[in-house]
Amino acid sequence: MSTNIRLRDYLGTKDLYRRMARIAIPVSLQSLITVGINLMDTIMLSGMGDAQLSASALAGQFINLFMICCMGIGMGASVLTSRYWGMQDLHSLKKSVTIMLRLVVSFASIFTLATLLIPRLIMRMYSPDEPIIHYGMIYLRWLLPTYFCMGLSLTCTIVLRSVGQVKVPLFTSIAAFFVNVFFNWVFIFGKLGAPRMEIAGAALGTLIARVFELFAICGWFFFVDKRMGYRLKDAFMKCGDLLHEYIRISIPVLISDSLLALGNNAVSMVMGHIGQAFVAANSVTMVTQQLSSVLTTGVSNASGIITGHTMGEGDFEKAQKQGYAFLFMSFLIGCFAAFVILLLRAPIINFYKVSPEAKAIAWELMDAILIIVIFQSMSSILTKGVLRAGGDTKFLMAGDILFLWVASIPLGYLAGLVFHWPAFWIYTFLKIDQIIKCVWCFFRLKSGKWMKKIYSA
C-alpha cells in the first residue's frame, strides 16, 4: 500500500494538476495565438514566392535571436521573482525586476544599432542568395523599432506570470493577433486603399501589433498591477546589494539562452546555405513544430513557477516529487505532440503555395520532427522549467553550450553541407542535442543536486 501511495505522489497530486492547469492553459493559449500570427504571416507571404517567404523566415531568425535573449533575461529574473514571491519578499522581487529592465534596454539598444547599421551583413550570414538578402533587408528596416517594444512587453509578461498573473498577457495576445492579421491583410495585399507592400507590409503589420502589446502589457505592469506594486519610479531604485545574487542565478540563464539562440541561428545558417527550397520547407514545418510545442511551453512555464513557489516555501522534498511528476507529464505531452504532427502534416504542407521541391523536403522534415518532438518536450520542461526554477542554472548553461555547439551544429553541418544527406538526417542531427539533454537532465533530476538556496537582499 505504501508503494502505491509513493508512486501516486511521484505521478502528481490533484492539487498539482489544478495549479498547473491554471498557469499552463493561459500560457499555452497565448503560445497558440503567437503560432497563429506566424501561420498567417507565412500563408500570406507564401503567395509572393519562395524568396519573400524565405527572407522573412531568415530575417525573423535575427529578431528571434533578440527575443530569445529577452526570454533569457526574463526567465532568469523569474527564477528569483517566483522564489521571492513564495517567500513574500516583495522588496527583493522589485530589485530583481529593476535589474532585468536595465538589461533589456541595453540589449534592445545593441540590436537596434546592428539592424540600423549592418542589415546586409546580417542577412548575408543567413543566405548567399541576393533576392533573399534584398527582401530580408526590407523586412528588418521596417521592424527597427520592434526591439524595445518586444523586449519590454516580453520580459514584463514573464514576470507577471511568475506571480500568477496570466490573464492580462493572454487577453493582450488575443487582441494583438487580430491587430496583426488585419494590418497584414491591409498592407501585404494593398487593401482599403493602402499601398501593396508585400514583405514590407508583413513587417509593418507585425510592428503595429508589437506597439499595441507594449502599451497593453507595460501599461498594466507599471500603472495598474497591485500584486507586486511595481511602478516606474522603482526602475531607478538602488539594487547593488542584489546584483551578486542576480548574477549567480540569472546571468547563466541569459548566457544559456543567448548561446542557444546563436546556436539556433547557426542552424538556420546551415539551412540557408543548403538552398532556398530547404529554407522554404523549414518555414512550412516551423508552424507545425510551434503548434506541437504549445502545450509544452505552457507546462514548462507552469513547472518553473510552481517549483519556484514550492522552494520559496522551503519544502524541498515536495519540489523533488513535483519534478518527477512534471517529467512524467512531459513524456505524455511529447507523445501527444507527435500525434498532432502526424494528423496535421499533410493538410499543412499541401496548403502552402511553395515549389514541389520544397514540399518534398517538408515531408522528410516532418518525419524527423515526429521523433525529435518527444525528446524536446521532456528536455524543455526540465531545462526551462523544473531545474531552472531550482536555481541549477550553471549546470544547465553547461549542457546547452556543450550539446548544441559540440554535437548538433557540427553534425548538422557535416550532414547538410559536406555529405549532402537526405533532409531527414540533416534535421535529426541539427536537433540531436534535444535527445542528449533529455537523458542528461533526467539523471540530474534524480540526483537532487539541482535544488539550490537563493538569498534575499
Side-chain angles (χ1 to χ4, degrees):
M1 180 63 70
S2 61
T3 303
N4 290 334
I5 293 172
R6 187 168 182 266
L7 179 62
R8 189 165 62 247
D9 286 342
Y10 282 101
L11 292 181
T13 61
K14 289 182 179 179
D15 178 64
L16 177 64
Y17 284 107
R18 278 195 295 267
R19 291 178 66 193
M20 182 199 72
R22 280 197 296 267
I23 300 169
I25 291 173
V27 173
S28 296
L29 287 173
Q30 191 175 354
S31 299
L32 184 61
I33 293 161
T34 302
V35 173
I37 292 172
N38 295 335
L39 176 62
M40 296 306 296
D41 283 355
T42 52
I43 288 173
M44 290 179 183
L45 277 177
S46 66
M48 306 295 166
D50 284 2
Q52 291 199 42
L53 178 61
S54 299
S56 67
L58 292 177
Q61 285 299 317
F62 185 72
I63 295 169
N64 285 341
L65 171 62
F66 171 74
M67 186 175 72
I68 295 173
C69 289
C70 288
M71 289 181 69
I73 295 169
M75 293 301 291
S78 75
V79 175
L80 293 171
T81 56
S82 63
R83 191 77 70 90
Y84 290 139
W85 182 256
M87 297 163 63
Q88 285 300 292
D89 184 355
L90 292 182
H91 183 64
S92 296
L93 188 153
K94 288 183 179 181
K95 288 186 176 183
S96 302
V97 173
T98 298
I99 298 172
M100 177 196 77
L101 292 174
R102 291 172 184 175
L103 275 173
V104 168
V105 170
S106 300
F107 267 74
S109 301
I110 292 168
F111 274 81
T112 301
L113 282 173
T115 304
L116 180 65
L117 299 175
I118 52 170
R120 175 171 287 276
L121 179 60
I122 290 169
M123 287 308 303
R124 192 168 288 281
M125 290 191 300
Y126 293 102
S127 175
D129 294 346
E130 192 57 39
I132 292 179
I133 293 171
H134 169 71
Y135 285 121
M137 288 172 64
I138 294 172
Y139 192 81
L140 285 173
R141 281 172 178 154
W142 275 97
L143 284 173
L144 195 63
T146 199
Y147 298 109
F148 286 98
C149 299
M150 185 192 306
L152 291 170
S153 60
L154 180 59
T155 50
C156 289
T157 291
I158 292 171
V159 172
L160 284 170
R161 287 175 184 167
S162 73
V163 298
Q165 290 271 40
V166 292
K167 290 182 180 179
V168 172
L170 173 61
F171 294 146
T172 301
S173 290
I174 292 171
F177 170 79
F178 290 106
V179 170
N180 198 333
V181 171
F182 173 74
F183 284 107
N184 272 8
W185 174 75
V186 169
F187 292 115
I188 291 176
F189 302 109
K191 303 295 184 180
L192 303 179
R196 180 184 171 94
M197 298 173 66
E198 300 187 354
I199 192 171
L204 180 56
T206 299
L207 176 60
I208 292 170
R210 295 298 186 197
V211 172
F212 170 80
E213 286 178 332
L214 174 70
F215 280 101
I217 294 292
C218 293
W220 178 273
F221 189 88
F222 291 113
F223 301 106
V224 180
D225 174 60
K226 294 180 180 178
R227 283 201 171 191
M228 292 178 290
Y230 193 92
R231 296 294 178 259
L232 275 176
K233 61 182 176 62
D234 294 321
F236 302 97
M237 69 192 303
K238 293 181 179 180
C239 44
D241 54 347
L242 192 68
L243 190 59
H244 179 268
E245 191 67 3
Y246 191 97
I247 291 171
R248 184 178 75 89
I249 297 296
S250 301
I251 294 302
V253 177
L254 170 59
I255 294 171
S256 177
D257 281 9
S258 299
L259 289 173
L260 196 62
L262 286 170
N264 289 334
N265 272 251
V267 168
S268 295
M269 291 173 195
V270 171
M271 292 181 180
H273 284 81
I274 290 172
Q276 193 176 109
F278 197 103
V279 176
N282 188 59
S283 300
V284 172
T285 64
M286 189 66 68
V287 174
T288 311
Q289 293 177 60
Q290 291 170 338
L291 279 171
S292 66
S293 64
V294 159
L295 195 54
T296 299
T297 301
V299 175
S300 176
N301 274 264
S303 66
I305 292 166
I306 292 170
T307 301
H309 291 176
T310 302
M311 294 187 66
E313 293 162 2
D315 196 340
F316 283 37
E317 183 180 352
K318 183 180 179 182
Q320 178 73 33
K321 290 181 179 180
Q322 288 175 343
Y324 281 115
F326 282 119
L327 176 64
F328 173 69
M329 280 184 261
S330 68
F331 173 71
L332 295 181
I333 291 166
C335 293
F336 176 73
F339 179 69
V340 169
I341 292 172
L342 193 63
L343 289 178
L344 294 180
R345 60 179 178 172
I348 285 180
I349 291 174
N350 292 327
F351 189 81
Y352 280 91
K353 298 174 183 178
V354 293
S355 63
E357 183 186 0
K359 283 191 176 184
I361 294 172
W363 275 104
E364 288 192 60
L365 295 180
M366 289 289 195
D367 288 337
I369 295 165
L370 273 170
I371 301 167
I372 296 296
V373 72
I374 298 174
F375 295 97
Q376 192 167 350
S377 173
M378 297 173 73
S379 66
S380 178
I381 288 172
L382 288 178
T383 58
K384 309 302 179 191
V386 177
L387 301 185
R388 178 175 284 181
D392 200 20
T393 52
K394 289 182 181 178
F395 178 87
L396 296 173
M397 178 181 69
D400 281 336
I401 296 170
L402 184 66
F403 302 134
L404 180 63
W405 289 92
V406 176
S408 286
I409 294 172
L411 290 174
Y413 177 87
L414 290 172
L417 298 175
V418 178
F419 299 120
H420 304 290
W421 284 352
F424 174 89
W425 291 109
I426 295 171
Y427 189 87
T428 299
F429 281 117
L430 285 171
K431 297 291 183 178
I432 202 166
D433 61 311
Q434 299 294 336
I435 299 174
I436 302 170
K437 275 199 294 188
C438 180
V439 178
W440 166 274
C441 289
F442 167 74
F443 285 106
R444 186 64 171 182
L445 176 68
K446 188 178 179 182
S447 72
K449 295 177 181 178
W450 57 278
M451 292 183 281
K452 312 290 185 183
K453 288 186 177 181
I454 290 177
Y455 303 97
S456 301

